[in-house]
Amino acid sequence: MSTHAPHDPSSGTLSYEQAGVNYDLIDPLKISAQRAAAATAVHMSAHGFTEVKASRGESAYVVDVGLFYIASIVECLGTKTLVADEMATLTGKSYYDGIAQDTIAMAVNDLITVGATPLVVQAYWAAGGSDWFGDAQRAQSLVAGWKKACDVCQVAWGGGETPALAGIVEGGRIDLAASCTGLINPKERLSVGDKLGAGDAIVLLASSGIHANGLSLARKLTERLPQGYLTEVQPGLTYGDALLAPTTLYSPVTEAIYKAGITPHYCANITGHGWRKLLRHPGKFTYRIHTVPPVTPVLKFMQEHAQQDDREAYSTLNMGAGFAIFVKADQAAKVVEIAKSCGIEAWDAGRVEDGEKQLLIEPLNIRFGDDDLQLR
Amino acid sequence: MSTHAPHDPSSGTLSYEQAGVNYDLIDPLKISAQRAAAATAVHMSAHGFTEVKASRGESAYVVDVGLFYIASIVECLGTKTLVADEMATLTGKSYYDGIAQDTIAMAVNDLITVGATPLVVQAYWAAGGSDWFGDAQRAQSLVAGWKKACDVCQVAWGGGETPALAGIVEGGRIDLAASCTGLINPKERLSVGDKLGAGDAIVLLASSGIHANGLSLARKLTERLPQGYLTEVQPGLTYGDALLAPTTLYSPVTEAIYKAGITPHYCANITGHGWRKLLRHPGKFTYRIHTVPPVTPVLKFMQEHAQQDDREAYSTLNMGAGFAIFVKADQAAKVVEIAKSCGIEAWDAGRVEDGEKQLLIEPLNIRFGDDDLQLR
């Protein structure tokens, strides 16, 4: 990563790093935390269980408890609330029903990648002070949205925490996260990568917009927009409203696929790092994309105003595809059909091939190699 | 709850409410969230499972998955990091190994109350900016302490989140939480209250200090101390160091008790609301305490400087007892012995009786009634 020279926000290419997150500082901690975490696996044997080692480095952690696997996760929403708060000031509306869905989506969409059925969600709502909860409209909107997202995913809302953390969380703000526990049952549903092979199809599921990744860049961009969040992305739709489209919940699709007798060979939740997440699988495969989904208007708008070329945009944002399901090629059409029946557009977008580890987005003439994604 | 008149911090009684948390604002949200959450239980049947309804309102949420129960939870550390940060400035030491233990204790000590063996912990470390993680000593201290606490509890550290949330979390601060998933296995270990009865013993386990509840009050008190956190609680021990004693992890005790053939009838983690937590069980019982553990020096110091009478102190702080285990009276001595063998002081402190719902701390002539604790 290059050093971050001061830049003029009003013009030129705006990259994700320039928007404020410095992975150089976080990564050494992450690596030592991952090492320490891996060393705790030995404790499972004291309980007569074992961890699924291949789940380390995947989106959710999996333990084998005999009859089935248990998957668990905690996920942070990120800074999307800052957009919601700004838009609430500008429009008088509350966006926290959608924000609730975003938060649950962060956890659920990751948990399902390993083949799990999400069972229980816990809410983590840490406010900057008790007064956050005193805005009844906003608080009830958060509750209602959380409930609705649980209903869509058929998970039980187990409980949670609503601390007031003055001095840690900024006044007037809230730090939102969700933890989720699920089962991989039957065990054949486990998809941590060993099943993926050459010839498999790559089915892409539509995103609803930016989801909850790339928001630092999205916020930074308002400095370039004469009307800020109220700038229209398309007639009648402001940039702020478009950004706040809630993240698609993909668990209805993965559950319906399983009920139709299809077990994905692998799944990737396309979040931070954009389409580079398609390279997440640890194996050596070439992912050849022949069909690129239409770009969601708000993402096209962001790409234009950030003056990013396609390579940069696809390496940062989901660009219209929020989730990837890898299945046997002859099952791809059925997966597309099932996703559509769940109300989510989908495309049989490419194939897995033996060969160099790389992602080839052929219609855009883009290549990402192994060194473009270092997540583990 | 009374309205909060401005007060002079330098003298007079300092209550928990005066220290800055206004439950009047949080409680309406909590109630509507609890209702909405309860309504999601129906989803378990879609998966062939059922929730353990009695776990709603308990410290952890429990689902019956057939062969055993799954318990899950997410818990926030609170504001103890503000003390750690201030002390780091004053002494140059890093306190984040202890802070890590505190955070895991918040989750694990709650999870075990329902009879669960903690299996997997997920880390939630949300910093005010990437630079938080750039302080290598502090970051490594957090990692090492987290690992050590996992080792003590024999849980696997599954993974977690390390977001940088500038604009939400204050610069230089970190919002810490832990989620935990465990099993109640065999199912007979479930302790959500139906087993508790008259004649049961109340075994109290020693706390190590303030643990992680009452920190707002503890911080507020420094305004009254001429040397602030460096004021000595006892020769050679500063107030700040005493406050930062890490929370005792009680899962080694509950696991050892089970291995000795003893199944608690109920457990209570003594956190916020102090000893009033002994009234947590929904049934109508009188809890008669005949033996009061020695008060941890830092808590005695706080009580004195906050000019609280015993009733106020025991209603807010743990006062030397961090966890309560309710067992058959003839098993109490064995539980005390097991706790001591785990390095944790313990007392057969009282009995459960039929009668009015109340807690009688006889040696101190204190009574708490049903209306003194409204948690559900």
Side-chain angles (χ1 to χ4, degrees), chain A residues 62-113:
Chain A
V62 183
V63 173
D64 185 345
V65 295
L67 204 62
F68 36 65
Y69 299 106
I70 293 180
S72 61
I73 198 165
V74 68
E75 286 293 323
C76 178
L77 170 63
T79 58
K80 195 166 179 175
T81 51
L82 297 178
V83 180
D85 293 346
E86 187 65 24
M87 280 296 286
T89 306
L90 294 170
T91 68
K93 288 194 276 179
S94 174
Y95 293 86
Y96 273 80
D97 52 345
I99 287 291
Q101 176 172 329
D102 285 311
T103 310
I104 290 186
M106 290 303 95
V108 163
N109 291 349
D110 263 2
L111 192 87
I112 60 176
T113 62

Side-chain angles (χ1 to χ4, degrees), chain A residues 20-22 25-26 28-30 32-33 36-37 39-41 43-44 46-47 49 56 61 63 65 67-68 70 72-76 78-79 81-82 117-120 122-126 130-131 133-134 139-140 143 147 150-151 154-171 173-177 179 181 183 185 219, chain B residues 20-22 25-26 28-30 32-33 36-37 39-41 43-44 46-47 49 56 61 63 65 67-68 70 72-76 78-79 81-82 117-120 122-126 130-131 133-134 139-140 143 147 150-151 154-171 173-177 179 181 183 185 219:
Chain A
V21 178
N22 183 349
L25 294 174
I26 304 180
L29 168 87
K30 273 185 110 156
S32 74
T40 61
H43 299 311
M44 289 303 88
H47 308 293
F49 304 135
R56 294 235 173 242
Y61 181 66
V63 173
V65 295
L67 204 62
F68 36 65
I70 293 180
S72 61
I73 198 165
V74 68
E75 286 293 323
C76 178
T79 58
T81 51
L82 297 178
T117 302
L119 270 196
V120 178
Q122 303 280 352
Y124 184 76
W125 302 347
S130 324
D131 57 327
F133 301 107
Q140 295 306 330
V143 170
K147 162 78 162 57
C150 287
D151 290 343
Q154 293 197 302
V155 300
W157 177 1
E161 277 273 269
T162 55
L165 299 181
I168 294 175
V169 174
E170 302 249 10
R173 303 295 184 192
I174 193 160
D175 179 19
L176 296 175
S179 72
T181 299
L183 295 187
N185 178 30
R219 291 186 292 118
Chain B
V21 178
N22 183 349
L25 294 174
I26 304 179
L29 168 88
K30 274 186 110 157
S32 73
T40 61
H43 299 311
M44 289 304 88
H47 308 293
F49 303 136
R56 293 237 173 240
Y61 181 66
V63 173
V65 294
L67 202 63
F68 37 63
I70 293 180
S72 62
I73 198 165
V74 68
E75 287 292 323
C76 178
T79 58
T81 52
L82 296 179
T117 302
L119 270 196
V120 179
Q122 303 280 351
Y124 183 76
W125 302 347
S130 324
D131 57 327
F133 302 107
Q140 295 306 332
V143 169
K147 162 77 162 58
C150 287
D151 290 343
Q154 292 197 300
V155 300
W157 177 1
E161 277 272 90
T162 55
L165 298 181
I168 293 175
V169 173
E170 302 248 9
R173 303 297 184 190
I174 193 160
D175 179 19
L176 296 175
S179 72
T181 300
L183 295 188
N185 178 30
R219 290 186 293 119

Side-chain angles (χ1 to χ4, degrees), chain B residues 56 136 146 155 170 207 316 367:
Chain B
R56 293 237 173 240
W146 198 274
V155 300
E170 302 248 9
S207 72
T316 309
R367 175 188 176 277

Side-chain angles (χ1 to χ4, degrees), chain A residues 167-353:
Chain A
I168 294 175
V169 174
E170 302 249 10
R173 303 295 184 192
I174 193 160
D175 179 19
L176 296 175
S179 72
C180 188
T181 299
L183 295 187
I184 300 165
N185 178 30
K187 291 174 93 169
E188 290 69 35
R189 286 188 68 179
L190 181 70
S191 59
V192 287
D194 50 313
K195 292 167 183 158
L196 190 69
D200 284 349
I202 305 166
V203 177
L204 295 176
L205 307 187
S207 72
S208 58
I210 193 172
H211 286 180
N213 290 93
L215 270 300
S216 299
L217 175 63
R219 291 186 292 118
K220 191 86 184 157
L221 264 188
T222 59
E223 296 171 14
R224 298 188 172 186
L225 304 173
Q227 292 183 269
Y229 286 117
L230 298 183
T231 309
E232 288 193 335
V233 166
Q234 59 191 50
L237 179 66
T238 66
Y239 179 52
D241 273 307
L243 287 174
L244 289 165
T247 307
T248 305
L249 297 160
Y250 295 109
S251 72
V253 179
T254 50
E255 289 303 299
I257 287 172
Y258 168 68
K259 279 176 189 130
I262 296 172
T263 305
H265 289 177
Y266 195 65
C267 294
N269 187 18
I270 301 171
T271 54
H273 302 93
W275 280 42
R276 289 180 287 167
K277 276 279 165 73
L278 295 174
L279 288 164
R280 178 155 204 152
H281 187 280
K284 217 178 141 204
F285 292 109
T286 289
Y287 305 88
R288 189 181 300 272
I289 302 292
H290 53 65
T291 301
V292 172
V295 182
T296 327
V298 68
L299 300 178
K300 192 187 275 293
F301 179 90
M302 282 181 65
Q303 180 183 3
E304 280 168 17
H305 286 272
Q307 300 179 33
Q308 293 185 346
D309 60 20
D310 283 340
R311 190 173 199 281
E312 174 123 35
Y314 278 80
S315 76
T316 309
L317 303 167
N318 71 60
M319 298 308 278
F323 199 86
I325 300 177
F326 300 78
V327 288
K328 282 202 290 187
D330 62 5
Q331 296 173 327
K334 183 74 183 169
V335 170
V336 168
E337 181 193 320
I338 290 169
K340 287 181 177 176
S341 75
C342 294
I344 296 170
E345 201 56 45
W347 302 267
D348 176 358
R351 290 290 178 274
V352 179
E353 299 172 2

